[in-house]
Amino acid sequence: MDNDIKTLRLRRGKEESLDRFHPWVFSGALAEPLPEGLEEGETVRVVSHDGRIIGVGHFQIGSIAVRILDFADTDINGEFFAGRLSAALRLRKALRLARPDNDAYRLVHGEGDFLPGLVVDIYGPTAVVQAHSPGMHFARNEVAQALVGLPDVGVRNVYYKSETTLPYKAHLDPQNDYLIGGFETSVATENSLKFNIDWLRGQKTGFFLDQRDNRELLGRYSQGRKVLNMFCYTGGFSVYALKGGAELVHSVDSSEKAITLTDANVEMNFPGCDRHRSYAEDAFKFLDNVKRDEYDLIILDPPAFAKHRSALRNALRGYQRLNAKAFEKIAPGGIVFTFSCSQAVSREQFRLAVFSAAAQSRRRIRILHQLTQPADHPVNIYHPEGEYLKGLVLYVE
Ligand code: SAH
C-alpha cells in the first residue's frame, strides 16, 4: 500500500456498483470536495462512506472521476503494469494469435484487460500504445518498459499515439512519438495476408484489428461474387474478398488517403490484380448511383455514427438509411455484412434500425450470422459497456 496517495470517499450506497467490480467511479458518487492539490492522472485510493477500502485507480476530471485499476490497496508501479501485461499476454497465447502467418493483434483492450484507459496493438516488432486517460499518459513509460520486457512477444519498438485520444482540456501535450526504438517495418501479417499499417497518419492505431474474424467470414462467402466494400479504409475486407475468389471487388471511401492505402494493400497481396477498383466518394452518393443487381455482396462498415448518447437518434436514422439503400440495390440471393461500432448504440437498437430498413425495402431478408468483436478485444463481464462492435450478415432474396 502506498501511503503517499490521496483518498477519495464515496457517498453512502455509491460503493454498490464497485462491489460488483464495475471499474468506474462517477463524479457524483464522491462524498467530499476533492483533496487539495489533487492533479488529473494521479493514482488515488477509493474508500466507502465508512472507510472500507474499495480499490485504487486513476483520477480524472469529468463524469468518470476514477477508473479503478485494482479492487485492493495495490501499489500502482512498473511491477503492477508488468503483471497486467503478462496476464494480457497469457490470454493472447491461449487465442493462438501470434503465429508465423499472423503477427497483428490487440494485446491490451482497456477495461477488457483490467487496464482502463489503455490500448496496445501489436504489429510484428512494434507495439502501438494509446492512452485514453491522463493516468495512462503518465504511466506510458512504465507500460513501454513492460512491453519490451514481455517474453516471446518480440516487441522492439513502442510508438505512443495519444494526441487524439486524451481529453484536450487536460493540457498534457502528448506528442506522438516512439518511446522505445524507432521505425522498423510497417508491414504486418493477418491470416497470411499482408497489410501496410500507417500508425503515424492512420486512424486509431493504423488498422482495425477488430474486424479480423468478420473479414475471415466474409472471405468464405466471396467466391464468384461481385463485392462492394463501403467505408473500406485500409481495404481489409477487400483483400479478404479477393483471396476468397470474388469475381470483382469495388472499394469505396470518402478519404483519398484511405483509397491510396487500400490500393497499396491490394497490390501487395495480389500484384497486377484486375478484379479490384477503388473509388474516393461519399458512400451514400455512391450507393444512389449503383445499378440494381450490380453487386451480390455488400459490406457496410461505417465510422461510429453516434460518438455520444446525444447523437443516438440521428445515428439510428443514419444506419437505417444506409442499410435501406443497400437492400434496395443488392441482387437477389445477395449477402449484406452490416456493422455498427458505436458504443452508444446497443445491439437491439442496431438490429431495430436494420429491421426498419429491411421492412422499407419490402424484401425477404434473413439473418445468417450475428457478429461481434474478436476475442483479443475481450469484454470484462462487469463492464458490459466494453462490447461495442455489432454486426449482422443478411441473406436478401
Ligand atoms: N471497414 C474498415 C474500417 C472503416 S473505418 C476496415 O475494416 O478497416 C470508417 C471509414 O469510413 C474511414 O476510412 C472513413 O474515411 C470512411 N468514411 C467516413 N464517412 C464516409 C462517407 N460518408 N462515405 C464514405 N466513407 C466514409
Side-chain angles (χ1 to χ4, degrees):
M1 113 176 211
D2 185 343
N3 284 323
D4 294 336
I5 67 173
K6 300 182 179 79
T7 296
L8 303 186
R9 187 179 301 275
L10 299 173
R11 285 165 45 204
R12 184 187 288 272
K14 292 297 181 188
E15 68 284 1
E16 270 180 23
S17 65
L18 293 146
D19 282 341
R20 290 193 304 267
F21 306 112
H22 190 280
W24 294 346
V25 178
F26 291 98
S27 55
L30 298 176
E32 297 139 7
L34 297 170
E36 196 141 328
L38 179 64
E39 303 262 1
E40 250 195 307
E42 263 187 59
T43 300
V44 292
R45 178 182 296 118
V46 177
V47 299
S48 64
H49 71 101
D50 53 359
R52 178 168 59 88
I53 288 174
I54 303 285
V56 287
H58 283 148
F59 168 71
Q60 185 168 340
I61 295 166
S63 80
I64 304 170
V66 183
R67 289 168 164 80
I68 297 288
L69 295 163
D70 201 18
F71 288 97
D73 207 2
T74 307
D75 289 354
I76 303 303
N77 50 25
E79 201 183 323
F80 168 81
F81 287 108
R84 283 286 149 95
L85 289 175
S86 296
L89 178 59
R90 256 195 317 280
L91 170 61
R92 277 35 178 209
K93 283 192 169 162
L95 302 177
R96 306 216 176 278
L97 281 172
R99 308 183 305 260
D101 67 326
N102 194 91
D103 64 5
Y105 56 94
R106 177 155 292 192
L107 177 64
V108 177
H109 185 60
E111 283 84 356
D113 283 290
F114 313 109
L115 287 167
L118 185 69
V119 164
V120 181
D121 285 344
I122 304 290
Y123 300 117
T126 304
V128 181
V129 174
Q130 283 198 312
H132 291 258
S133 67
M136 285 301 181
H137 172 67
F138 293 128
R140 66 194 181 284
N141 288 310
E142 283 165 321
V143 169
Q145 286 302 334
L147 281 169
V148 292
L150 283 175
D152 313 327
V153 184
V155 169
R156 291 187 290 271
N157 317 296
V158 179
Y159 185 71
Y160 184 63
K161 186 180 185 189
S162 300
E163 272 179 345
T164 54
T165 53
L166 283 166
Y168 71 96
K169 281 190 205 133
H171 301 299
L172 297 168
D173 192 25
Q175 289 190 342
N176 290 350
D177 205 355
Y178 287 94
L179 299 175
I180 295 175
F183 180 80
E184 197 171 325
T185 171
S186 59
V187 177
T189 309
E190 184 184 271
N191 292 321
S192 300
L193 295 164
K194 301 265 176 231
F195 290 95
N196 195 20
I197 318 284
D198 187 356
W199 48 80
L200 299 182
R201 287 169 296 266
Q203 297 183 45
K204 306 273 170 96
T205 67
F207 193 58
F208 285 90
L209 290 164
D210 58 0
Q211 290 286 23
R212 181 197 314 106
D213 293 354
N214 304 330
R215 288 193 273 261
E216 198 176 16
L217 182 67
L218 174 99
R220 286 194 255 137
Y221 277 107
S222 297
Q223 180 72 45
R225 292 209 178 242
K226 299 190 181 76
V227 180
L228 175 61
N229 180 14
M230 302 299 264
F231 310 94
C232 64
Y233 186 38
T234 55
F237 282 106
S238 304
V239 170
Y240 276 74
L242 290 166
K243 168 99 184 295
E247 184 183 318
L248 66 84
V249 178
H250 290 172
S251 306
V252 178
D253 200 291
S254 56
S255 146
E256 293 272 0
K257 223 165 55 184
I259 292 301
T260 307
L261 290 168
T262 294
D263 288 343
N265 283 330
V266 168
E267 183 59 26
M268 184 159 48
N269 290 283
F270 307 98
C273 174
D274 59 1
R275 292 181 290 147
H276 179 254
R277 281 174 94 167
S278 57
Y279 303 85
E281 275 181 47
D282 175 78
F284 288 87
K285 283 201 191 123
F286 187 93
L287 270 175
D288 281 339
N289 293 325
V290 162
K291 286 198 273 310
R292 220 172 265 265
D293 302 349
E294 201 176 334
Y295 300 102
D296 58 5
L297 209 179
I298 299 181
I299 302 129
L300 305 171
D301 184 25
F305 283 164
K307 292 239 160 59
H308 300 286
R309 275 193 192 281
S310 55
L312 188 61
R313 262 167 56 125
N314 276 341
L316 292 175
R317 237 177 271 137
Y319 289 121
Q320 183 181 335
R321 209 156 65 85
L322 180 66
N323 283 275
K325 280 184 197 291
F327 297 150
E328 186 193 320
K329 298 293 171 79
I330 196 163
I335 291 173
V336 177
F337 276 63
T338 183
F339 296 96
S340 163
C341 60
S342 304
Q343 201 157 44
V345 174
S346 73
R347 190 165 286 280
E348 287 66 34
Q349 285 166 326
F350 176 60
R351 191 161 151 170
L352 199 59
V354 177
F355 159 86
S356 304
Q360 198 180 325
S361 76
R362 305 188 61 85
R363 295 183 72 166
R364 248 157 73 171
I365 298 181
R366 282 177 278 175
I367 298 175
L368 306 183
H369 301 270
Q370 309 201 38
L371 306 178
T372 185
Q373 63 218 52
D376 56 339
H377 296 56
V379 182
N380 174 344
I381 202 161
Y382 307 112
H383 178 258
E385 297 90 330
E387 186 187 342
Y388 68 99
L389 185 62
K390 302 153 285 284
L392 293 168
V393 182
L394 305 161
Y395 187 69
V396 186
E397 290 179 78

